[in-house]
Amino acid sequence: MASDWRDAIETQREQKDQYFGEHPHSPLSPDERESFDGLEYYPIDEDYRFELPLEEYDDPERITVGTSTDGEQEYLEWGEFQFTVDGEDVTLQAYKSEPDDDRLWVPFRDATSGNETYGAGRYLDLEVDSHRTSDGDWILDFNEAYNPTCAYSDQYECPLPPMDNWLEVPIEAGEKDYGDH
Protein backbone atom coordinates (compact mmCIF):
# COMPACT_ATOMS: atom_id res chain seq x y z
CA MET A 1 0.00 0.00 0.00
CA ALA A 2 2.84 2.44 0.79
CA SER A 3 3.95 2.49 -2.81
CA ASP A 4 0.37 3.07 -4.07
CA TRP A 5 0.13 6.60 -2.67
CA ARG A 6 3.68 7.36 -3.81
CA ASP A 7 2.85 6.12 -7.32
CA ALA A 8 -0.30 8.26 -7.35
CA ILE A 9 1.72 11.37 -6.46
CA GLU A 10 4.32 10.61 -9.14
CA THR A 11 1.52 10.19 -11.68
CA GLN A 12 -0.10 13.50 -10.60
CA ARG A 13 3.24 15.25 -11.03
CA GLU A 14 3.81 13.76 -14.49
CA GLN A 15 0.30 14.74 -15.60
CA LYS A 16 0.73 18.28 -14.30
CA ASP A 17 4.08 18.65 -16.08
CA GLN A 18 2.50 17.42 -19.30
CA TYR A 19 -0.42 19.82 -18.93
CA PHE A 20 1.85 22.77 -18.16
CA GLY A 21 4.17 22.00 -21.04
CA GLU A 22 1.65 21.13 -23.74
CA HIS A 23 -1.89 22.26 -23.04
CA PRO A 24 -3.11 25.54 -24.58
CA HIS A 25 -4.83 26.42 -21.27
CA SER A 26 -1.60 26.00 -19.31
CA PRO A 27 -0.91 28.99 -17.06
CA LEU A 28 2.49 29.23 -18.77
CA SER A 29 2.91 31.51 -21.77
CA PRO A 30 3.51 29.83 -25.17
CA ASP A 31 7.19 30.88 -24.98
CA GLU A 32 7.56 29.36 -21.51
CA ARG A 33 5.85 26.13 -22.64
CA GLU A 34 8.41 25.70 -25.43
CA SER A 35 11.31 25.56 -22.99
CA PHE A 36 9.41 23.99 -20.08
CA ASP A 37 11.05 20.82 -18.76
CA GLY A 38 8.97 20.21 -15.64
CA LEU A 39 8.22 21.67 -12.26
CA GLU A 40 10.49 21.15 -9.27
CA TYR A 41 9.30 19.14 -6.30
CA TYR A 42 10.67 17.97 -2.99
CA PRO A 43 11.26 14.21 -2.83
CA ILE A 44 8.15 12.35 -1.68
CA ASP A 45 8.39 11.94 2.09
CA GLU A 46 5.93 9.97 4.20
CA ASP A 47 6.76 12.17 7.22
CA TYR A 48 4.64 14.86 5.55
CA ARG A 49 1.61 12.59 5.10
CA PHE A 50 -0.95 12.65 7.91
CA GLU A 51 -4.25 10.90 8.55
CA LEU A 52 -6.16 13.21 10.84
CA PRO A 53 -9.61 13.98 12.14
CA LEU A 54 -10.99 17.36 11.17
CA GLU A 55 -12.22 19.23 14.20
CA GLU A 56 -15.30 20.75 12.55
CA TYR A 57 -16.67 23.97 13.97
CA ASP A 58 -20.27 23.98 15.18
CA ASP A 59 -20.91 27.35 13.59
CA PRO A 60 -18.42 27.94 10.73
CA GLU A 61 -17.42 31.57 10.45
CA ARG A 62 -17.45 33.32 7.07
CA ILE A 63 -14.10 35.03 6.53
CA THR A 64 -12.78 37.36 3.88
CA VAL A 65 -9.49 36.37 2.27
CA GLY A 66 -7.27 38.76 0.33
CA THR A 67 -6.14 37.82 -3.18
CA SER A 68 -2.99 38.25 -5.23
CA THR A 69 -4.64 41.09 -7.17
CA ASP A 70 -5.73 43.02 -4.05
CA GLY A 71 -9.23 41.60 -4.33
CA GLU A 72 -11.21 39.64 -1.77
CA GLN A 73 -12.97 36.28 -1.65
CA GLU A 74 -15.17 34.74 1.03
CA TYR A 75 -14.78 31.30 2.55
CA LEU A 76 -16.23 29.37 5.45
CA GLU A 77 -13.71 28.45 8.12
CA TRP A 78 -14.91 24.86 8.37
CA GLY A 79 -12.60 23.29 10.93
CA GLU A 80 -9.03 22.64 11.92
CA PHE A 81 -6.37 19.98 11.71
CA GLN A 82 -3.91 19.59 14.58
CA PHE A 83 -0.68 17.65 14.07
CA THR A 84 3.06 17.67 14.71
CA VAL A 85 5.77 18.53 12.16
CA ASP A 86 9.39 17.99 13.14
CA GLY A 87 8.45 18.01 16.83
CA GLU A 88 6.41 21.23 16.47
CA ASP A 89 2.66 21.21 17.18
CA VAL A 90 0.79 23.04 14.42
CA THR A 91 -2.80 23.83 13.51
CA LEU A 92 -4.18 24.48 10.04
CA GLN A 93 -7.63 25.79 9.21
CA ALA A 94 -9.66 24.07 6.48
CA TYR A 95 -12.06 26.11 4.37
CA LYS A 96 -15.06 25.62 2.12
CA SER A 97 -16.57 27.96 -0.45
CA GLU A 98 -20.09 26.81 0.39
CA PRO A 99 -21.52 24.58 3.16
CA ASP A 100 -22.53 21.85 0.68
CA ASP A 101 -19.04 21.52 -0.84
CA ASP A 102 -17.44 18.11 -0.38
CA ARG A 103 -13.98 19.55 -0.93
CA LEU A 104 -11.83 21.20 1.70
CA TRP A 105 -9.28 23.86 0.82
CA VAL A 106 -6.18 24.12 3.00
CA PRO A 107 -3.95 27.05 1.98
CA PHE A 108 -0.75 27.59 3.93
CA ARG A 109 2.53 29.43 4.15
CA ASP A 110 5.51 27.95 5.94
CA ALA A 111 9.18 28.63 6.65
CA THR A 112 10.08 27.68 3.04
CA SER A 113 7.74 30.31 1.54
CA GLY A 114 9.69 32.94 -0.38
CA ASN A 115 12.86 30.84 -0.30
CA GLU A 116 12.36 27.37 -1.73
CA THR A 117 8.62 27.63 -2.35
CA TYR A 118 6.23 30.24 -3.72
CA GLY A 119 6.28 33.28 -1.45
CA ALA A 120 2.52 33.74 -1.21
CA GLY A 121 2.01 30.14 -0.09
CA ARG A 122 0.74 26.84 -1.41
CA TYR A 123 -2.53 24.90 -1.42
CA LEU A 124 -3.90 21.48 -0.61
CA ASP A 125 -7.27 20.40 -1.98
CA LEU A 126 -8.90 17.59 -0.05
CA GLU A 127 -11.53 15.58 -1.91
CA VAL A 128 -13.93 13.23 -0.10
CA ASP A 129 -13.33 10.41 -2.61
CA SER A 130 -9.54 10.43 -2.44
CA HIS A 131 -8.62 12.07 0.86
CA ARG A 132 -10.83 10.26 3.38
CA THR A 133 -9.95 7.07 5.20
CA SER A 134 -12.47 4.33 5.93
CA ASP A 135 -12.76 5.58 9.52
CA GLY A 136 -13.52 9.15 8.43
CA ASP A 137 -10.14 10.80 8.96
CA TRP A 138 -8.75 13.10 6.29
CA ILE A 139 -5.47 12.49 4.48
CA LEU A 140 -3.45 15.68 4.70
CA ASP A 141 -0.52 14.94 2.39
CA PHE A 142 1.87 17.83 1.90
CA ASN A 143 3.57 15.89 -0.90
CA GLU A 144 0.52 17.08 -2.88
CA ALA A 145 1.03 20.76 -1.97
CA TYR A 146 0.93 22.90 -5.08
CA ASN A 147 1.41 26.48 -6.17
CA PRO A 148 -1.61 28.58 -7.09
CA THR A 149 -1.85 29.62 -10.75
CA CYS A 150 -0.70 33.16 -9.91
CA ALA A 151 2.75 31.65 -9.23
CA TYR A 152 3.06 31.17 -13.00
CA SER A 153 1.28 34.20 -14.39
CA ASP A 154 0.10 37.57 -13.11
CA GLN A 155 -3.05 37.09 -15.19
CA TYR A 156 -4.60 34.97 -12.43
CA GLU A 157 -6.21 36.01 -9.17
CA CYS A 158 -5.42 33.68 -6.29
CA PRO A 159 -6.68 33.75 -2.72
CA LEU A 160 -3.87 34.16 -0.20
CA PRO A 161 -3.49 31.91 2.85
CA PRO A 162 -5.01 33.61 5.89
CA MET A 163 -2.54 34.41 8.68
CA ASP A 164 -4.03 31.58 10.79
CA ASN A 165 -2.37 29.23 8.29
CA TRP A 166 1.09 30.77 8.37
CA LEU A 167 3.32 28.09 9.86
CA GLU A 168 6.70 28.79 11.40
CA VAL A 169 7.99 25.30 10.59
CA PRO A 170 9.29 24.33 7.14
CA ILE A 171 7.11 22.02 5.07
CA GLU A 172 9.72 20.48 2.78
CA ALA A 173 7.22 18.60 0.67
CA GLY A 174 5.27 19.20 -2.51
CA GLU A 175 5.89 21.72 -5.25
CA LYS A 176 8.80 24.15 -5.11
CA ASP A 177 8.91 27.72 -6.41
CA TYR A 178 8.64 28.14 -10.16
CA GLY A 179 10.76 31.27 -10.15
CA ASP A 180 10.19 34.55 -11.95
CA HIS A 181 7.32 34.60 -14.40
Side-chain angles (χ1 to χ4, degrees), residues 1-29:
M1 173 147 167
S3 66
D4 288 350
W5 69 268
R6 287 177 185 272
D7 292 344
I9 290 170
E10 289 291 348
T11 299
Q12 286 172 358
R13 290 176 176 185
E14 289 167 10
Q15 290 171 343
K16 186 170 186 175
D17 282 349
Q18 183 177 8
Y19 179 84
F20 272 49
E22 298 173 12
H23 200 279
H25 292 116
S26 166
L28 302 181
S29 70

Short mmCIF file of all heavy atoms in Angstrom, two decimals, residues 1-29:
data_model
loop_
_atom_site.label_atom_id
_atom_site.label_comp_id
_atom_site.label_asym_id
_atom_site.label_seq_id
_atom_site.Cartn_x
_atom_site.Cartn_y
_atom_site.Cartn_z
N MET A 1 0.83 -1.21 0.00
CA MET A 1 0.00 0.00 0.00
C MET A 1 0.87 1.26 0.00
O MET A 1 0.51 2.24 -0.62
CB MET A 1 -0.91 0.00 1.22
CG MET A 1 -1.65 1.30 1.35
SD MET A 1 -3.25 1.07 2.05
CE MET A 1 -3.65 2.75 2.41
N ALA A 2 2.00 1.24 0.70
CA ALA A 2 2.84 2.44 0.79
C ALA A 2 3.25 2.94 -0.58
O ALA A 2 3.32 4.13 -0.81
CB ALA A 2 4.06 2.16 1.66
N SER A 3 3.52 2.04 -1.49
CA SER A 3 3.95 2.49 -2.81
C SER A 3 2.78 3.02 -3.64
O SER A 3 2.98 3.82 -4.54
CB SER A 3 4.66 1.35 -3.56
OG SER A 3 3.75 0.30 -3.83
N ASP A 4 1.54 2.60 -3.31
CA ASP A 4 0.37 3.07 -4.07
C ASP A 4 0.22 4.58 -3.99
O ASP A 4 0.01 5.24 -5.00
CB ASP A 4 -0.91 2.40 -3.56
CG ASP A 4 -1.01 0.94 -3.94
OD1 ASP A 4 -0.19 0.48 -4.77
OD2 ASP A 4 -1.90 0.26 -3.42
N TRP A 5 0.31 5.15 -2.79
CA TRP A 5 0.13 6.60 -2.67
C TRP A 5 1.31 7.34 -3.28
O TRP A 5 1.16 8.40 -3.86
CB TRP A 5 -0.16 7.02 -1.23
CG TRP A 5 0.97 6.89 -0.25
CD1 TRP A 5 1.24 5.81 0.54
CD2 TRP A 5 1.98 7.86 0.04
NE1 TRP A 5 2.36 6.06 1.29
CE2 TRP A 5 2.83 7.30 1.01
CE3 TRP A 5 2.25 9.14 -0.44
CZ2 TRP A 5 3.93 7.98 1.53
CZ3 TRP A 5 3.34 9.81 0.08
CH2 TRP A 5 4.17 9.25 1.05
N ARG A 6 2.50 6.75 -3.17
CA ARG A 6 3.68 7.36 -3.81
C ARG A 6 3.51 7.36 -5.33
O ARG A 6 3.80 8.36 -5.99
CB ARG A 6 4.95 6.60 -3.45
CG ARG A 6 5.41 6.80 -2.04
CD ARG A 6 6.65 5.94 -1.76
NE ARG A 6 7.05 6.02 -0.38
CZ ARG A 6 7.87 6.95 0.09
NH1 ARG A 6 8.37 7.86 -0.71
NH2 ARG A 6 8.19 6.98 1.37
N ASP A 7 3.07 6.22 -5.86
CA ASP A 7 2.85 6.12 -7.32
C ASP A 7 1.81 7.12 -7.78
O ASP A 7 1.96 7.74 -8.84
CB ASP A 7 2.42 4.70 -7.70
CG ASP A 7 3.53 3.66 -7.52
OD1 ASP A 7 4.71 4.06 -7.38
OD2 ASP A 7 3.20 2.46 -7.51
N ALA A 8 0.76 7.30 -6.99
CA ALA A 8 -0.30 8.26 -7.35
C ALA A 8 0.26 9.68 -7.40
O ALA A 8 -0.07 10.45 -8.30
CB ALA A 8 -1.46 8.17 -6.35
N ILE A 9 1.12 10.03 -6.47
CA ILE A 9 1.72 11.37 -6.46
C ILE A 9 2.64 11.54 -7.65
O ILE A 9 2.61 12.58 -8.33
CB ILE A 9 2.44 11.64 -5.12
CG1 ILE A 9 1.40 11.78 -4.02
CG2 ILE A 9 3.31 12.90 -5.22
CD1 ILE A 9 1.96 11.82 -2.62
N GLU A 10 3.45 10.54 -7.95
CA GLU A 10 4.32 10.61 -9.14
C GLU A 10 3.50 10.80 -10.40
O GLU A 10 3.84 11.61 -11.27
CB GLU A 10 5.19 9.35 -9.25
CG GLU A 10 6.28 9.25 -8.21
CD GLU A 10 7.40 10.28 -8.39
OE1 GLU A 10 7.47 10.95 -9.44
OE2 GLU A 10 8.20 10.41 -7.45
N THR A 11 2.40 10.07 -10.51
CA THR A 11 1.52 10.19 -11.68
C THR A 11 0.91 11.59 -11.76
O THR A 11 0.87 12.19 -12.83
CB THR A 11 0.41 9.12 -11.63
OG1 THR A 11 1.03 7.82 -11.64
CG2 THR A 11 -0.54 9.24 -12.80
N GLN A 12 0.45 12.13 -10.62
CA GLN A 12 -0.10 13.50 -10.60
C GLN A 12 0.94 14.49 -11.09
O GLN A 12 0.62 15.40 -11.87
CB GLN A 12 -0.50 13.89 -9.18
CG GLN A 12 -1.74 13.26 -8.64
CD GLN A 12 -1.94 13.58 -7.15
OE1 GLN A 12 -1.12 14.24 -6.51
NE2 GLN A 12 -3.04 13.08 -6.59
N ARG A 13 2.17 14.33 -10.65
CA ARG A 13 3.24 15.25 -11.03
C ARG A 13 3.53 15.16 -12.53
O ARG A 13 3.70 16.18 -13.20
CB ARG A 13 4.50 14.97 -10.21
CG ARG A 13 4.33 15.36 -8.75
CD ARG A 13 5.54 14.99 -7.92
NE ARG A 13 5.38 15.46 -6.54
CZ ARG A 13 6.31 15.36 -5.62
NH1 ARG A 13 7.49 14.82 -5.90
NH2 ARG A 13 6.09 15.81 -4.39
N GLU A 14 3.57 13.95 -13.05
CA GLU A 14 3.81 13.76 -14.49
C GLU A 14 2.69 14.39 -15.31
O GLU A 14 2.95 15.05 -16.33
CB GLU A 14 3.94 12.27 -14.81
CG GLU A 14 5.21 11.63 -14.29
CD GLU A 14 5.18 10.11 -14.35
OE1 GLU A 14 4.25 9.52 -14.96
OE2 GLU A 14 6.09 9.49 -13.75
N GLN A 15 1.45 14.18 -14.88
CA GLN A 15 0.30 14.74 -15.60
C GLN A 15 0.32 16.26 -15.55
O GLN A 15 0.00 16.92 -16.55
CB GLN A 15 -1.01 14.19 -15.03
CG GLN A 15 -1.22 12.73 -15.35
CD GLN A 15 -2.41 12.13 -14.61
OE1 GLN A 15 -2.92 12.67 -13.62
NE2 GLN A 15 -2.87 10.98 -15.09
N LYS A 16 0.67 16.83 -14.41
CA LYS A 16 0.73 18.28 -14.30
C LYS A 16 1.82 18.84 -15.20
O LYS A 16 1.61 19.84 -15.89
CB LYS A 16 0.97 18.70 -12.85
CG LYS A 16 0.89 20.21 -12.65
CD LYS A 16 0.89 20.59 -11.19
CE LYS A 16 0.68 22.09 -11.03
NZ LYS A 16 0.54 22.49 -9.64
N ASP A 17 2.99 18.20 -15.20
CA ASP A 17 4.08 18.65 -16.08
C ASP A 17 3.65 18.59 -17.55
O ASP A 17 3.94 19.51 -18.32
CB ASP A 17 5.34 17.79 -15.88
CG ASP A 17 6.11 18.18 -14.63
OD1 ASP A 17 5.80 19.23 -14.03
OD2 ASP A 17 7.03 17.43 -14.26
N GLN A 18 2.96 17.54 -17.92
CA GLN A 18 2.50 17.42 -19.30
C GLN A 18 1.50 18.52 -19.64
O GLN A 18 1.59 19.17 -20.68
CB GLN A 18 1.87 16.05 -19.54
CG GLN A 18 1.44 15.85 -20.98
CD GLN A 18 0.87 14.45 -21.23
OE1 GLN A 18 0.67 13.67 -20.31
NE2 GLN A 18 0.61 14.16 -22.48
N TYR A 19 0.57 18.77 -18.72
CA TYR A 19 -0.42 19.82 -18.93
C TYR A 19 0.27 21.18 -19.06
O TYR A 19 -0.02 21.95 -19.98
CB TYR A 19 -1.42 19.83 -17.76
CG TYR A 19 -2.46 20.92 -17.87
CD1 TYR A 19 -3.60 20.72 -18.64
CD2 TYR A 19 -2.31 22.14 -17.23
CE1 TYR A 19 -4.57 21.71 -18.76
CE2 TYR A 19 -3.26 23.14 -17.34
CZ TYR A 19 -4.39 22.92 -18.11
OH TYR A 19 -5.33 23.91 -18.24
N PHE A 20 1.17 21.48 -18.13
CA PHE A 20 1.85 22.77 -18.16
C PHE A 20 2.68 22.95 -19.42
O PHE A 20 2.76 24.04 -19.96
CB PHE A 20 2.74 22.93 -16.92
CG PHE A 20 2.04 23.52 -15.74
CD1 PHE A 20 0.82 23.04 -15.29
CD2 PHE A 20 2.61 24.56 -15.04
CE1 PHE A 20 0.18 23.59 -14.21
CE2 PHE A 20 1.98 25.12 -13.94
CZ PHE A 20 0.77 24.63 -13.53
N GLY A 21 3.29 21.90 -19.89
CA GLY A 21 4.17 22.00 -21.04
C GLY A 21 3.49 21.95 -22.39
O GLY A 21 4.03 22.46 -23.37
N GLU A 22 2.27 21.38 -22.44
CA GLU A 22 1.65 21.13 -23.74
C GLU A 22 0.27 21.73 -23.93
O GLU A 22 -0.12 22.00 -25.07
CB GLU A 22 1.56 19.61 -23.96
CG GLU A 22 2.92 18.93 -23.99
CD GLU A 22 2.80 17.41 -24.04
OE1 GLU A 22 1.70 16.88 -24.27
OE2 GLU A 22 3.84 16.75 -23.84
N HIS A 23 -0.49 21.88 -22.89
CA HIS A 23 -1.89 22.26 -23.04
C HIS A 23 -2.04 23.75 -23.34
O HIS A 23 -1.38 24.58 -22.70
CB HIS A 23 -2.68 21.89 -21.79
CG HIS A 23 -4.14 21.79 -22.03
ND1 HIS A 23 -4.96 22.89 -22.08
CD2 HIS A 23 -4.94 20.72 -22.26
CE1 HIS A 23 -6.20 22.52 -22.31
NE2 HIS A 23 -6.21 21.19 -22.43
N PRO A 24 -2.92 24.12 -24.27
CA PRO A 24 -3.11 25.54 -24.58
C PRO A 24 -3.67 26.35 -23.41
O PRO A 24 -3.51 27.57 -23.37
CB PRO A 24 -4.09 25.54 -25.76
CG PRO A 24 -4.60 24.16 -25.89
CD PRO A 24 -3.70 23.24 -25.15
N HIS A 25 -4.32 25.71 -22.44
CA HIS A 25 -4.83 26.42 -21.27
C HIS A 25 -3.85 26.41 -20.10
O HIS A 25 -4.22 26.80 -18.99
CB HIS A 25 -6.18 25.85 -20.84
CG HIS A 25 -7.27 26.13 -21.83
ND1 HIS A 25 -7.92 25.13 -22.52
CD2 HIS A 25 -7.79 27.29 -22.27
CE1 HIS A 25 -8.80 25.68 -23.34
NE2 HIS A 25 -8.74 26.99 -23.21
N SER A 26 -2.64 25.97 -20.34
CA SER A 26 -1.60 26.00 -19.31
C SER A 26 -1.43 27.44 -18.82
O SER A 26 -1.56 28.38 -19.61
CB SER A 26 -0.27 25.51 -19.91
OG SER A 26 0.81 25.83 -19.06
N PRO A 27 -1.14 27.63 -17.53
CA PRO A 27 -0.91 28.99 -17.06
C PRO A 27 0.42 29.58 -17.57
O PRO A 27 0.66 30.77 -17.41
CB PRO A 27 -0.89 28.86 -15.54
CG PRO A 27 -0.59 27.44 -15.27
CD PRO A 27 -1.11 26.66 -16.44
N LEU A 28 1.23 28.75 -18.20
CA LEU A 28 2.49 29.23 -18.77
C LEU A 28 2.25 29.86 -20.14
O LEU A 28 1.40 29.41 -20.89
CB LEU A 28 3.50 28.09 -18.92
CG LEU A 28 3.87 27.32 -17.66
CD1 LEU A 28 4.88 26.23 -17.99
CD2 LEU A 28 4.40 28.25 -16.59
N SER A 29 3.02 30.88 -20.46
CA SER A 29 2.91 31.51 -21.77
C SER A 29 3.41 30.53 -22.83
O SER A 29 4.16 29.61 -22.52
CB SER A 29 3.74 32.79 -21.81
OG SER A 29 5.12 32.45 -21.78
#
